[in-house]
Protein backbone atom coordinates (compact mmCIF):
# COMPACT_ATOMS: atom_id res chain seq x y z
CA UNK A 1 0.00 0.00 0.00
CA UNK A 2 1.46 3.35 -1.00
CA UNK A 3 0.84 6.72 0.65
CA UNK A 4 -1.98 7.68 -1.73
CA UNK A 5 -3.83 4.41 -1.07
CA UNK A 6 -3.38 4.79 2.67
CA UNK A 7 -4.65 8.37 2.50
CA UNK A 8 -7.71 7.12 0.63
CA UNK A 9 -8.44 4.75 3.55
CA UNK A 10 -7.96 7.61 6.05
CA UNK A 11 -10.27 9.80 3.97
CA UNK A 12 -12.92 7.08 4.00
CA UNK A 13 -12.60 7.03 7.80
CA UNK A 14 -13.13 10.81 7.82
CA UNK A 15 -16.28 10.38 5.76
CA UNK A 16 -17.54 7.72 8.17
CA UNK A 17 -16.99 10.15 11.04
CA UNK A 18 -18.90 12.86 9.20
CA UNK A 19 -21.79 10.45 8.50
CA UNK A 20 -21.91 9.68 12.23
CA UNK A 21 -22.27 13.39 13.01
CA UNK A 22 -18.64 13.85 14.02
CA UNK A 23 -15.66 15.85 12.84
CA UNK A 24 -14.40 14.46 9.52
CA UNK A 25 -10.80 13.62 10.30
CA UNK A 26 -9.53 10.11 9.67
CA UNK A 27 -6.27 8.27 10.19
CA UNK A 28 -4.64 4.92 9.61
CA UNK A 29 -1.57 3.28 11.08
CA UNK A 30 0.34 1.44 8.37
CA UNK A 31 3.03 -1.11 9.13
CA UNK A 32 4.93 -2.98 6.43
CA UNK A 33 2.47 -1.76 3.80
CA UNK A 34 -0.63 -2.94 5.65
CA UNK A 35 -3.24 -0.99 7.62
CA UNK A 36 -3.15 -2.31 11.19
CA UNK A 37 -5.42 0.34 12.70
CA UNK A 38 -7.96 2.72 11.20
CA UNK A 39 -9.93 5.37 13.01
CA UNK A 40 -11.65 8.70 12.87
CA UNK A 41 -12.31 11.61 15.17
CA UNK A 42 -15.00 10.39 17.57
CA UNK A 43 -15.02 13.16 20.18
CA UNK A 44 -18.62 14.08 19.39
CA UNK A 45 -19.87 10.51 19.06
CA UNK A 46 -18.24 9.29 22.30
CA UNK A 47 -18.28 12.52 24.29
CA UNK A 48 -14.51 12.05 24.46
CA UNK A 49 -11.83 14.60 25.17
CA UNK A 50 -9.09 12.64 23.37
CA UNK A 51 -10.51 10.52 20.55
CA UNK A 52 -8.95 12.22 17.55
CA UNK A 53 -8.39 10.32 14.29
CA UNK A 54 -4.82 9.40 15.17
CA UNK A 55 -5.59 8.28 18.72
CA UNK A 56 -8.57 6.28 17.45
CA UNK A 57 -6.36 4.56 14.87
CA UNK A 58 -3.80 3.75 17.59
CA UNK A 59 -6.54 2.42 19.86
CA UNK A 60 -7.96 0.26 17.08
CA UNK A 61 -4.51 -1.12 16.27
CA UNK A 62 -4.31 -2.46 19.83
CA UNK A 63 -1.16 -3.13 21.79
CA UNK A 64 1.87 -3.53 19.58
CA UNK A 65 5.53 -4.09 20.34
CA UNK A 66 7.80 -1.05 20.08
CA UNK A 67 9.49 -2.58 17.03
CA UNK A 68 6.19 -2.46 15.14
CA UNK A 69 5.68 1.26 15.80
CA UNK A 70 9.26 1.90 14.70
CA UNK A 71 8.33 0.59 11.21
CA UNK A 72 5.02 2.45 11.04
CA UNK A 73 3.59 5.38 9.15
CA UNK A 74 0.74 7.41 10.59
CA UNK A 75 -1.46 8.64 7.74
CA UNK A 76 -3.92 11.35 8.72
CA UNK A 77 -6.25 13.60 6.77
CA UNK A 78 -5.17 16.66 8.77
CA UNK A 79 -1.97 17.92 10.35
CA UNK A 80 -1.75 16.25 13.79
CA UNK A 81 -2.50 18.41 16.83
CA UNK A 82 -0.08 18.59 19.75
CA UNK A 83 -1.78 15.65 21.52
CA UNK A 84 -1.54 13.40 18.47
CA UNK A 85 1.99 14.63 17.78
CA UNK A 86 2.87 13.54 21.30
CA UNK A 87 1.42 10.07 20.70
CA UNK A 88 3.42 9.76 17.47
CA UNK A 89 6.60 10.74 19.32
CA UNK A 90 5.82 8.54 22.33
CA UNK A 91 5.57 5.41 20.19
CA UNK A 92 8.50 6.33 17.97
CA UNK A 93 6.54 6.38 14.72
CA UNK A 94 9.13 7.60 12.21
CA UNK A 95 6.89 8.79 9.39
CA UNK A 96 3.70 10.87 9.10
CA UNK A 97 1.70 11.47 5.94
CA UNK A 98 -0.70 14.41 6.15
CA UNK A 99 -3.70 14.90 3.89
CA UNK A 100 -3.64 18.67 4.31
CA UNK A 101 -2.52 21.46 6.60
CA UNK A 102 -4.31 24.47 5.14
CA UNK A 103 -7.15 24.13 7.66
CA UNK A 104 -4.89 23.55 10.66
CA UNK A 105 -1.15 23.24 11.27
CA UNK A 106 -0.32 21.07 14.24
CA UNK A 107 2.99 19.79 15.55
CA UNK A 108 4.72 19.30 12.22
CA UNK A 109 7.79 21.33 13.20
CA UNK A 110 8.18 19.41 16.46
CA UNK A 111 7.92 16.12 14.59
CA UNK A 112 10.62 17.21 12.15
CA UNK A 113 12.94 18.41 14.92
CA UNK A 114 12.60 14.96 16.49
CA UNK A 115 13.59 13.23 13.26
CA UNK A 116 10.13 12.25 12.00
CA UNK A 117 9.65 12.38 8.25
CA UNK A 118 6.56 14.52 7.52
CA UNK A 119 4.92 14.47 4.10
CA UNK A 120 2.04 16.81 3.20
CA UNK A 121 -0.07 15.47 0.32
CA UNK A 122 -2.12 18.72 0.13
CA UNK A 123 -5.22 16.75 -0.81
CA UNK A 124 -8.12 18.82 -2.17
CA UNK A 125 -10.56 16.09 -1.05
CA UNK A 126 -9.33 16.25 2.56
CA UNK A 127 -9.43 20.04 2.53
CA UNK A 128 -12.92 20.30 1.04
CA UNK A 129 -14.43 17.72 3.40
CA UNK A 130 -13.11 19.47 6.50
CA UNK A 131 -13.83 22.99 5.23
CA UNK A 132 -17.46 22.04 4.69
CA UNK A 133 -17.67 20.85 8.29
CA UNK A 134 -15.87 23.90 9.71
CA UNK A 135 -18.23 26.28 7.93
CA UNK A 136 -21.29 24.37 9.16
CA UNK A 137 -20.10 23.72 12.73
CA UNK A 138 -17.47 26.31 13.75
CA UNK A 139 -18.28 25.83 17.45
CA UNK A 140 -17.54 22.08 17.35
CA UNK A 141 -14.41 22.66 15.29
CA UNK A 142 -13.09 25.30 17.71
CA UNK A 143 -13.75 22.97 20.63
CA UNK A 144 -11.79 20.21 18.89
CA UNK A 145 -8.72 22.42 18.40
CA UNK A 146 -8.98 23.98 21.86
CA UNK A 147 -10.17 27.46 20.91
CA UNK A 148 -13.14 29.50 22.11
Amino acid sequence: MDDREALDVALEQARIGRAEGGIPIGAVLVIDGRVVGAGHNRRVQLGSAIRHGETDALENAGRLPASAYHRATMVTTLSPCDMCTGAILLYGIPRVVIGENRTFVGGEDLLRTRGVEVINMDSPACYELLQGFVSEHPDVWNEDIGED
Side-chain angles (χ1 to χ4, degrees):
M1 173 173 288
D2 66 19
D3 292 343
R4 175 60 53 198
E5 293 167 324
L7 184 58
D8 286 345
V9 177
L11 186 55
E12 181 56 31
Q13 284 292 311
R15 290 180 178 124
I16 291 168
R18 181 70 172 111
E20 293 172 349
I23 301 165
I25 301 169
V28 293
L29 185 66
V30 177
I31 299 175
D32 300 331
R34 186 173 62 87
V35 172
V36 298
H40 51 275
N41 186 306
R42 295 175 20 158
R43 291 187 68 243
V44 171
Q45 299 91 312
L46 298 176
S48 171
I50 62 169
R51 221 40 164 326
H52 282 191
E54 299 90 339
T55 56
D56 197 47
L58 287 166
E59 179 70 16
N60 291 332
R63 291 177 60 192
L64 300 171
S67 62
Y69 294 113
H70 298 166
R71 299 189 317 272
T73 297
M74 178 63 76
V75 181
T76 178
T77 59
L78 183 67
S79 181
C81 73
D82 289 343
M83 176 179 67
C84 295
T85 293
I88 290 162
L89 293 173
L90 175 68
Y91 290 107
I93 297 169
R95 192 166 180 271
V96 177
V97 174
I98 298 167
E100 66 103 351
N101 68 357
R102 287 181 278 163
T103 303
F104 175 82
V105 177
E108 295 174 39
D109 288 341
L110 177 58
L111 290 168
R112 287 185 187 100
T113 64
R114 297 282 296 272
V116 176
E117 179 184 7
V118 178
I119 298 165
N120 181 4
M121 302 292 279
D122 195 24
S123 163
C126 292
Y127 178 76
E128 290 165 13
L129 180 63
L130 192 52
Q131 283 300 302
F133 179 85
V134 170
S135 67
E136 292 172 29
H137 305 282
D139 54 331
V140 177
W141 169 247
N142 286 335
E143 174 191 325
D144 194 62
I145 62 170
E147 293 184 4
D148 288 326

